[in-house]
Amino acid sequence: MVPQSNRVEKMKMALWLIAGLIVLVGAYIRLAPSDPAIWHNTPVGDANRDLRGGVVRVLETGPDGLAQLNEIAASAPRTKVLAGSIDDGMVTYITRTKVIGFPDYTTAQQNGDTLRIYGRLRFGRSDFGVNRNRVDGWLARMQP
């Protein structure tokens, strides 16, 4: 039989290891670089789609849709431009969650009067509708 003090010490060690692992994973999520070559890609699709880890939206905005969306995204909390510009006709934004700092990427491209938007997560399989809600919220603020 293992003495009580030995079990307590093993449990303490296991808790410290778990806490250390959580800190390391959190640091990786916060500090992992975001490579524009991976995330700044043309949104594909001609129809709105809700995905398990993101969303695609396609709408007719006129030629200034990207400029309008850029103003809205620029004022969104924890959101910054990762790559691109209005002059390029395509911008990718990175938005981080408040507590853990999970990065989500939203790419918007203006092609004539059509604005295509692709919002997606980086880590995990499901975003629980976070990207859909963000993109739809930004679009709701746009002027018709």
Side-chain angles (χ1 to χ4, degrees):
M1 185 172 243
V2 178
Q4 181 73 17
S5 63
N6 235 0
R7 274 191 267 162
V8 170
E9 289 302 316
K10 285 183 180 183
M11 185 174 278
K12 283 182 184 178
M13 178 70 100
L15 289 174
W16 276 110
L17 287 172
I18 291 169
L21 184 61
I22 290 170
V23 168
L24 286 174
V25 169
Y28 176 75
I29 289 169
R30 278 259 181 212
L31 301 174
S34 295
D35 184 354
I38 296 171
W39 299 104
H40 186 60
N41 295 306
T42 305
V44 178
D46 291 324
N48 294 338
R49 291 186 326 217
D50 292 340
L51 309 168
R52 194 160 124 186
V55 64
V56 174
R57 294 292 183 255
V58 180
L59 60 153
E60 297 300 314
T61 60
D64 67 333
L66 183 59
Q68 282 187 49
L69 185 74
N70 188 65
E71 283 185 36
I72 294 164
S75 68
R78 299 171 311 281
T79 300
K80 66 179 187 172
V81 172
L82 175 68
S85 68
I86 296 169
D87 291 338
D88 293 341
M90 187 167 80
V91 182
T92 298
Y93 307 94
I94 181 171
T95 304
R96 292 192 174 270
T97 60
K98 190 173 188 176
V99 177
I100 298 177
F102 283 107
D104 290 327
Y105 301 92
T106 306
T107 301
Q109 180 195 34
Q110 186 79 48
N111 187 355
D113 289 343
T114 303
L115 181 64
R116 285 184 177 76
I117 304 169
Y118 178 33
R120 68 269 191 208
L121 56 74
R122 175 172 180 175
F123 297 108
R125 292 185 183 164
S126 175
D127 68 353
F128 304 103
V130 170
N131 282 291
R132 180 190 66 234
N133 293 341
R134 179 185 316 105
V135 169
D136 288 347
W138 288 356
L139 293 176
R141 294 178 52 200
M142 289 181 64
Q143 301 298 318

